Amino acid sequence: MEQQDLNKRLLLALALSFFVFVGYSYLFPPQKVTQPIEQTSKSNSAPQATRSSNAAPKSTPSVSQTTNSAPVTTNTTSLLATISSDTFKMSIDEFGRISQFELLEKKYKDSEGKNLQILGVEEVKPLEVRFSDVKLNEEAFKTPYSYSGESTVDVTSNAKTITLVQKLSTVTVTKKITVEPNGAYSIDISTSSAVPYFITPGHRPMADTSMYMLVRGALIKGADDIILTIEDGDAKGDETVKNAKIASAFDRYVASLFYNFEKGMNVSILKEKDDNPLIFVEGSQNLHLGGYIGPKEYKILESIHPELTDAIEFGWFTFLSKPFFKVLLWINDMVGNWGWAIILFTLLVKLILFPLSYKGMMSMQKLKDLAPKMKELKAKYKDDPAKMNMQMMEMYKKHGANPMGGCLPMLLQIPVFFALYRVLLNADELQGAVWIPGWIDNLAAADPYYILPILMGASMWFQQKITPNNFTDPLQEKIFQWFPVIMAGMFIIMPFPSGLVLYWVVNNIFTIGQQYVINKAYAKHKAQAVAAHHKGKDS
């Protein structure tokens, strides 16, 4: 690769990587979920029991792959209790499971005004217990729990406990579920005799059906603080983690999880259909676990236990996304508006990277001035590449130009952009977040008037006009001329979150201002160099 083309070829590679990273998941979406999410608001109808493989766990901390069919719940099956706060409604069915979980806040309602229900109708439910003994397991799925408390429990003001009892032929199981107003709960299970069993936080809940390249599946945080993420489609069925702190079945915005930071949990993964992971935690005669089901909001998880914030997964760039998100949270707490927080964060990033950007852009200006001489050297030494490169390096050294100088700022922007992309795509806090009322009323949704995508394309075009280039390949030049149009069109066709597009627009605008400053500084530098050159001649 010729030195003068490095910067532009790198930029072309970044553009193509963006299309692969973001566009592929939209143009080639994954197969649709075969089990739909229940959207009925009838609180008296119990959901069906799972029709997925109902594996019987062994007595060891691993899960058997032998299966037996779970009974299908009939319409006569009743709910034992409905636990409600001002933000959620939790339904407990006769098998002692969380059969449905509704989010009641306005931002989660669909276009018809219905509450969002995050548990699939026929998926494995949270708090389902499976015995290692196959016959006992079959009996348990035919024997309902008994409950003598109130059918409607309000936990808006304070936590409340319900007690469920299941009497089987050889063992009696007692479940005590204490639910907090924020969706946190504790589960205490005692058995009349020691029998091996497992309990699950259920198949991952689902609050989003978008076609973005998202991370969904299971997250396990071990005793050594190493986080294992098993994405949907990647489960092997033999994964185990001993003394784990967190076991979370998660979606883009929501999660159902267990935690135990004192004693830890022995976690096993069962492979469901489509190679999706299903978490099981090994039980004991007297088991105590913390739990949570609901939105992955940072402040809620932090209020339960600071380490639970590790259940917020941002994918490959979590190491950068997490601190970025904390800074965004801090700025939002200061200004009280997520849109302005994104703008101020973008400005902060530009200021931090400015010294490197300044050097890179100044180098690009010098390379632009040297472009005619480069062409002369290419023509003169076209049959001797080694000598041509040697002459070019001497010319770079003489004029203080660095052919790699513009690459570093671009390379630094790769992880920055994709880390922020994950934050703005996955942060539940942006759902229903208003930037400018009447225009951007939800930063997690697309701009309804397409103003931001158009501004993005226009700012990219203007940025190209004022940025020095040294194209030697006509094809590259044509691609870059059409790139703003292509990007604007893609952001209009694909419903990208307006928060992400806002970041891109503001970043472009700040880059334009930065380029003006650097162009002016370079013109002054060049004028001084010319004056010094003439002065040297006169003397």
Side-chain angles (χ1 to χ4, degrees):
M1 182 184 292
E2 297 172 359
Q3 296 289 343
Q4 66 267 32
D5 291 335
L6 283 175
N7 294 337
K8 295 303 174 182
R9 292 190 183 186
L10 176 59
L11 193 54
L12 179 61
L14 297 185
L16 293 175
S17 68
F18 174 81
F19 281 113
V20 172
F21 187 81
V22 179
Y24 179 85
S25 59
Y26 190 91
L27 297 173
F28 304 98
Q31 294 297 316
K32 292 183 179 179
V33 179
T34 55
Q35 303 298 343
I37 296 177
E38 182 181 25
Q39 289 298 334
T40 178
S41 59
K42 296 178 181 179
S43 60
N44 293 327
S45 61
Q48 292 180 324
T50 175
R51 290 176 183 169
S52 62
S53 68
N54 193 37
K58 296 179 181 179
S59 58
T60 59
S62 62
V63 180
S64 170
Q65 295 304 307
T66 61
T67 62
N68 59 290
S69 298
V72 178
T73 304
T74 65
N75 291 330
T76 58
T77 304
S78 62
L79 295 178
L80 298 182
T82 300
I83 304 169
S84 301
S85 78
D86 55 352
T87 59
F88 68 84
K89 182 166 69 173
M90 177 190 293
S91 301
I92 306 296
D93 71 7
E94 65 178 352
F95 292 108
R97 310 171 304 178
I98 300 174
S99 61
Q100 192 50 266
F101 193 88
E102 293 184 31
L103 300 177
L104 306 181
E105 292 179 77
K106 182 180 178 181
K107 68 179 183 178
Y108 298 115
K109 293 184 183 294
D110 62 17
S111 57
E112 298 178 358
K114 293 181 179 179
N115 295 328
L116 175 64
Q117 299 181 335
I118 65 175
L119 298 180
V121 178
E122 297 183 353
E123 304 292 0
V124 177
K125 301 299 189 293
L127 305 187
E128 180 171 301
V129 169
R130 295 190 185 180
F131 294 93
S132 295
D133 184 288
V134 175
K135 291 184 178 180
L136 185 60
N137 202 50
E138 290 176 348
E139 181 188 354
F141 273 104
K142 296 175 183 177
T143 307
Y145 283 75
S146 61
Y147 170 63
S148 58
E150 297 180 355
S151 60
T152 302
V153 181
D154 187 358
V155 297
T156 302
S157 302
N158 55 284
K160 291 184 180 178
T161 301
I162 64 171
T163 302
L164 313 175
V165 179
Q166 184 184 46
K167 294 184 178 180
L168 303 175
S169 58
T170 58
V171 66
T172 298
V173 181
T174 302
K175 278 186 182 180
K176 289 185 178 180
I177 307 170
T178 302
V179 183
E180 303 281 348
N182 58 4
Y185 64 87
S186 63
I187 175 77
D188 291 274
I189 299 179
S190 60
T191 58
S192 58
S193 60
V195 291
Y197 70 91
F198 288 76
I199 185 171
T200 177
H203 179 86
R204 66 165 176 81
M206 193 167 183
D208 174 78
T209 57
S210 66
M211 293 179 286
Y212 300 114
M213 191 180 292
L214 299 169
V215 180
R216 296 181 172 110
L219 178 149
I220 315 296
K221 182 177 181 180
D224 53 4
D225 293 331
I226 293 176
I227 293 177
L228 169 67
T229 302
I230 305 169
E231 296 187 38
D232 280 0
D234 291 342
K236 297 178 181 178
D238 59 359
E239 299 93 339
T240 60
V241 179
K242 291 186 177 181
N243 302 316
K245 295 180 178 180
I246 301 171
S248 172
F250 70 94
D251 184 49
R252 177 181 180 182
Y253 291 129
V254 292
S256 175
L257 59 84
F258 292 149
Y259 63 90
N260 190 325
F261 297 105
E262 288 76 35
K263 297 181 180 179
M265 306 170 290
N266 290 334
V267 177
S268 300
I269 300 296
L270 174 69
K271 181 170 68 173
E272 292 190 294
K273 60 184 177 181
D274 301 324
D275 294 337
N276 295 336
L278 180 61
I279 298 170
F280 280 94
V281 172
E282 186 180 18
S284 61
Q285 192 166 359
N286 291 286
L287 176 69
H288 173 80
L289 294 173
Y292 173 77
I293 182 170
K296 295 186 293 182
E297 288 194 15
Y298 187 92
K299 289 184 178 179
I300 292 177
L301 296 174
E302 187 180 41
S303 68
I304 300 169
H305 193 286
E307 269 193 85
L308 273 187
T309 57
D310 287 336
I312 302 175
E313 172 61 48
F314 294 110
W316 302 333
F317 293 96
T318 296
F319 71 98
L320 267 182
S321 296
K322 253 191 151 173
F324 283 1
F325 185 51
K326 288 183 179 180
V327 174
L328 275 168
L329 278 170
W330 176 75
I331 297 174
N332 180 65
D333 288 341
M334 298 289 288
V335 301
N337 184 293
W338 276 99
W340 294 113
I342 291 170
I343 292 171
L344 291 173
F345 178 82
T346 308
L347 176 60
L348 179 63
V349 171
K350 297 299 288 186
L351 289 173
I352 292 172
L353 295 179
F354 181 77
L356 288 172
S357 298
Y358 180 85
K359 290 182 179 180
M361 290 180 173
M362 289 290 279
S363 182
M364 289 176 69
Q365 290 280 13
K366 292 176 181 178
L367 290 173
K368 178 185 176 182
D369 290 344
L370 293 175
K373 293 183 179 180
M374 292 180 191
K375 289 181 179 179
E376 290 178 8
L377 289 174
K378 284 177 67 177
K380 185 176 181 180
Y381 298 106
K382 62 181 180 180
D383 297 326
D384 191 349
K387 194 167 184 179
M388 179 185 69
N389 287 332
M390 185 179 69
Q391 291 293 327
M392 282 188 173
M393 293 305 294
E394 288 180 3
M395 182 175 62
Y396 293 148
K397 187 176 180 181
K398 179 181 177 181
H399 294 276
N402 182 359
M404 297 296 293
C407 294
L408 184 57
M410 294 180 195
L411 288 172
L412 287 174
Q413 289 183 44
I414 298 174
V416 169
F417 170 76
F418 286 125
L420 196 58
Y421 168 80
R422 286 296 190 187
V423 168
L424 299 179
L425 201 63
N426 288 11
D428 180 75
E429 285 81 354
L430 293 186
Q431 291 206 80
V434 178
W435 177 36
I436 297 178
W439 173 25
I440 304 296
D441 294 320
N442 184 359
L443 284 165
D447 180 350
Y449 306 111
Y450 307 112
I451 295 172
L452 285 175
I454 293 171
L455 286 175
M456 187 199 68
S459 60
M460 287 184 71
W461 174 83
F462 190 75
Q463 184 182 339
Q464 282 188 0
K465 292 297 180 182
I466 66 170
T467 302
N469 67 74
N470 56 330
F471 285 113
T472 58
D473 186 342
L475 178 60
Q476 289 183 23
E477 189 169 11
K478 285 184 179 180
I479 290 174
F480 272 85
Q481 285 174 348
W482 283 98
F483 190 57
V485 177
I486 294 170
M487 290 296 294
M490 187 177 74
F491 274 58
I492 290 173
I493 295 170
M494 301 181 188
F496 280 93
S498 53
L500 177 66
V501 188
L502 174 62
Y503 160 74
W504 201 313
V505 170
V506 173
N507 184 68
N508 286 349
I509 292 171
F510 287 155
T511 302
I512 289 170
Q514 183 176 269
Q515 188 66 57
Y516 266 116
V517 170
I518 291 171
N519 286 354
K520 189 174 181 180
Y522 182 72
K524 184 177 179 181
H525 168 77
K526 189 175 178 181
Q528 290 175 345
V530 171
H533 178 71
H534 287 310
K535 186 176 180 181
K537 276 189 174 182
D538 294 339
S539 61

